[in-house]
Amino acid sequence: MLQGSSNQNLLVYAYQTDYWSLDNPGARFPRAVSTPSVNGSNNFQVSDAWLIGSKYIRLKYAQLGYDFKQGLLKKAPFQQLRLFVSGTNLLTAAKSQDYFIDPESGTNNLNNYEYPVQRTFAVGVTAGF
C-alpha cells in the first residue's frame, strides 16, 4: 500500500513498481511523473512501452468420461451408464495475465472493466434405460 493524496491508501501491484529512475534505468515503465518541469512532458509522447504481447494458449473445454461395459450392467436396471467430469476455461497461459487482462477481452475492454472469465467444473452421470 502507498499513501496517496488526502491520506488515501492506494493499492499498487508489484509490476507497477518497475518504473524508470536513476537507480533503475532499465525499468519496464517510464518515469512515474508527468510534470513538465521534471521530464519535459515525456510521459505524453507516443510510445510502445504500453504494448503487451498478444500470444496466448487457452484450454477452453475438456471432458473426461467412462462408459461402463455391457457386461457390468447385466444386473443393473439400465442398459447404458456413463460417468463424466468436465470443465471450462481450465488453463490460460498469456503474458497479458501479468497485468490482469484477459487475452480474449477484445478492444471494447480498454480499461479492463469486464468480469473475469469464469472457470467451471461439472460432474455427471448419464444412464440409458
Side-chain angles (χ1 to χ4, degrees), residues 66-74 79 81:
Y66 181 77
D67 291 321
F68 286 90
K69 305 286 183 208
Q70 290 291 333
L72 295 174
L73 301 175
K74 285 183 182 177
Q79 296 175 348
L81 181 66

Side-chain angles (χ1 to χ4, degrees), residues 45-98:
Q45 301 299 317
V46 175
S47 172
D48 63 356
W50 306 111
L51 295 179
I52 300 170
S54 61
K55 290 188 260 182
Y56 72 97
I57 186 167
R58 174 171 276 167
L59 179 58
K60 272 297 230 199
Y61 179 79
Q63 184 179 77
L64 181 65
Y66 181 77
D67 291 321
F68 286 90
K69 305 286 183 208
Q70 290 291 333
L72 295 174
L73 301 175
K74 285 183 182 177
K75 296 182 181 181
F78 34 81
Q79 296 175 348
Q80 297 173 337
L81 181 66
R82 176 176 166 76
L83 297 175
F84 67 91
V85 62
S86 65
T88 58
N89 298 315
L90 299 173
L91 173 72
T92 302
K95 185 173 178 119
S96 63
Q97 286 189 306
D98 295 345

